[in-house]
Amino acid sequence: MKFMEAERVRNLPPYLFARIEQLIEQKRAEGVDVISLGIGDPDLPTPKFIIDAAAKELYNPANHQYPSSAGMLSYREAVASWYSRRFGVELDPKREIVSLIGSKEGIAHIPWCYCNPGDVVLVPDPGYPVYGQGTILAGGLPFSLSVTPERGYKPDFSTVPDDVATKAKILFINYPNNPTGATADLDFFEEVVAFARKYQLLVCHDAAYSEIAYEGYRPPSFLETPGAKDVGIEFHSVSKAYNMTGWRVGWAVGNPDAVQALGRLKTNIDSGVFQAVQYAAIHALTNPQGDSAELCAIYQARRDLVVDTLNEIGWSLEKSKATFYIWAPVPAGHTSATFAELVLDNAGVVITPGTGYGAGGEGYFRISLTVSNERLREAMERLRRALK
Ligand SMILES: *Cc1c(COP(=O)(O)O)cnc(C)c1O
């Protein structure tokens, strides 16, 4: 029997990293010692105090039943207290916070809440692929907002045609930014609030990297901006700050109508996050040991190694203040794809072609700093040899 896939799935490209994993497997089968700098997934383990807290909760039968879809109140209170301490943002745990199965889940689902067929969603290009694909799955139309180094990878809202902005329901933004490493300050967020007000858009800010920053820089929350809660929500999780990508726990916070619409949708799809995992997140957010300074120092040393190496062999990159990514132009004469292929063939190193983040990523590649110092050093030595 042959099943005919629905158009929405037939037209869905495989998730970028699923494709990269296939490629790596193929090379490894050929006997190549591949070093992958492709995937942004922390290599270091979850801190022990978090694992210990979760392990204890595993044995409590009360945690074995369906969790509440919105998250335990104590979980939402832990998120609220973290926002208050970290950003000075006050949130009502009952109305302005919903738990997510990782922030990716909420990002993929929010267009279902606000897009009727044909409605527009403004999506940065290059950007995290889930904004556009989540929009398409919900029947919406992504509109690419070009972001370029000249403007610090911030969209220029004055270039969005009036009829597009009028049809738009959602604006996705993401700072500190994957894949470019760009950061945004409150002045830019104020521009975002004004644009969203003018066109009645829901701003969805993806703050996944707010805790991965260097040299004393502390990235702000979008919700620190005056009026932000009237127009927007923020997606976040413990994934990047606490090496917890596998645990699948995050949150959406901010505008109470949007948070509750997402929560209502989710009650019809999932049944929340395993409570032992919610307890793990509570401990991560409330324990004073849950400080990512040590982790950031490790990434900062890796960032310096990669940027210094690239600059020694012909690049002239600045060091980004946040995220664990290096975003760099490919050498003249290359496309993103041909350069990624060259690096894989000649160095056995996987880098991500910029086009994986949209057409606007053409001419760039991304290196992720989430491999051990030893493997990263080896990868840089191989790049040096291969690209000399
Ligand atoms: C990693 C990442 C996320 C999602 O992480 P979760 O583990 O689902 O919380 C969201 N946005 C960006 C830009 C990311 O890089």
Side-chain angles (χ1 to χ4, degrees):
M1 192 149 72
K2 178 136 174 44
F3 298 105
M4 190 55 137
E5 286 175 358
E7 265 168 45
R8 78 174 72 81
V9 169
R10 222 182 314 150
N11 298 336
L12 198 63
Y15 195 60
L16 172 65
F17 295 110
R19 227 173 48 220
I20 291 176
E21 269 164 17
Q22 272 177 356
L23 210 68
I24 296 173
E25 246 169 64
Q26 196 183 317
K27 279 278 167 193
R28 284 193 177 139
E30 290 167 17
V32 180
D33 171 29
V34 177
I35 303 176
S36 176
L37 308 181
I39 300 174
D41 188 354
D43 57 302
L44 294 162
T46 303
K48 185 171 181 299
F49 76 92
I50 299 173
I51 299 173
D52 288 344
K56 202 180 105 224
E57 296 298 337
L58 280 176
Y59 291 98
N60 181 355
N63 292 332
H64 300 168
Q65 294 183 288
Y66 285 121
S68 102
S69 181
M72 298 184 294
L73 185 58
S74 59
Y75 171 75
R76 288 175 281 152
E77 284 167 349
V79 172
S81 78
W82 184 75
Y83 259 75
S84 175
R85 263 180 296 124
R86 169 67 177 85
F87 300 114
V89 168
E90 302 305 322
L91 296 163
D92 176 353
K94 294 209 169 98
R95 299 165 55 246
E96 297 176 335
I97 303 178
V98 65
S99 71
L100 299 173
I101 310 169
S103 56
K104 182 181 182 181
E105 179 261 309
I107 290 165
H109 278 140
I110 191 71
W112 291 84
C113 299
Y114 290 100
C115 282
N116 284 315
D119 283 346
V120 169
V121 173
L122 303 176
V123 171
D125 178 12
Y128 185 55
V130 184
Y131 311 139
Q133 292 307 333
T135 298
I136 291 168
L137 286 172
L141 296 173
F143 179 87
S144 289
L145 285 182
S146 163
V147 290
T148 61
E150 291 73 34
R151 292 182 52 89
Y153 294 104
K154 316 289 188 308
D156 180 353
F157 297 118
S158 71
T159 65
V160 181
D162 197 61
D163 61 318
V164 171
T166 305
K167 274 187 285 188
K169 295 291 156 65
I170 293 175
L171 162 66
F172 278 106
I173 51 170
N174 164 223
Y175 299 96
N177 185 261
N178 174 12
T180 66
T183 55
D185 55 20
L186 292 178
D187 286 349
F188 171 71
F189 287 153
E190 277 174 28
E191 245 183 78
V192 171
V193 170
F195 180 70
R197 277 230 167 90
K198 180 169 176 201
Y199 291 103
Q200 300 186 354
L201 298 172
L202 176 71
V203 176
C204 290
H205 181 236
D206 179 352
Y209 293 94
S210 75
E211 303 315 292
I212 308 297
Y214 310 118
E215 287 145 15
Y217 175 60
R218 298 289 271 161
S221 162
F222 172 67
L223 298 175
E224 288 175 46
T225 322
K229 213 190 268 183
D230 296 336
V231 299
I233 58 176
E234 187 158 85
F235 293 91
H236 209 318
S237 76
V238 290
S239 287
K240 308 289 160 62
Y242 305 100
N243 302 327
M244 290 178 73
T245 49
W247 297 70
R248 310 314 301 137
V249 56
W251 56 85
V253 299
N255 184 273
D257 295 335
V259 164
Q260 286 165 44
L262 182 55
R264 197 146 32 90
L265 177 82
K266 282 168 56 58
T267 56
N268 289 283
I269 296 174
D270 64 67
S271 300
V273 175
F274 181 27
Q275 286 194 12
V277 169
Q278 292 186 53
Y279 281 111
I282 291 172
H283 281 265
L285 293 174
T286 55
N287 192 306
Q289 291 177 74
D291 173 349
S292 46
E294 217 175 297
L295 182 62
C296 291
I298 294 169
Y299 288 135
Q300 187 177 324
R302 293 177 184 176
R303 175 200 69 170
D304 291 348
L305 169 68
V306 171
V307 173
D308 292 345
T309 303
L310 289 173
N311 285 350
E312 279 162 33
I313 58 177
W315 272 264
S316 47
L317 303 173
E318 281 181 33
K319 289 177 179 169
S320 155
K321 286 188 295 181
T323 78
F324 44 55
Y325 301 113
I326 308 299
W327 179 252
V330 299
H334 274 287
T335 64
S336 292
T338 64
F339 185 63
E341 212 177 296
L342 173 95
V343 170
L344 182 58
D345 287 342
N346 294 4
V349 172
V350 176
I351 57 174
T352 318
T355 44
Y357 306 93
E362 181 54 270
Y364 288 85
F365 66 94
R366 192 195 77 174
I367 282 178
S368 171
L369 303 173
T370 52
V371 291
S372 70
N373 295 347
E374 191 198 343
R375 292 294 273 171
L376 194 64
R377 246 180 268 121
E378 163 76 17
M380 290 306 109
E381 278 320 304
R382 290 192 203 171
L383 277 193
R384 211 189 272 277
R385 268 181 271 129
L387 301 176
K388 249 205 318 246

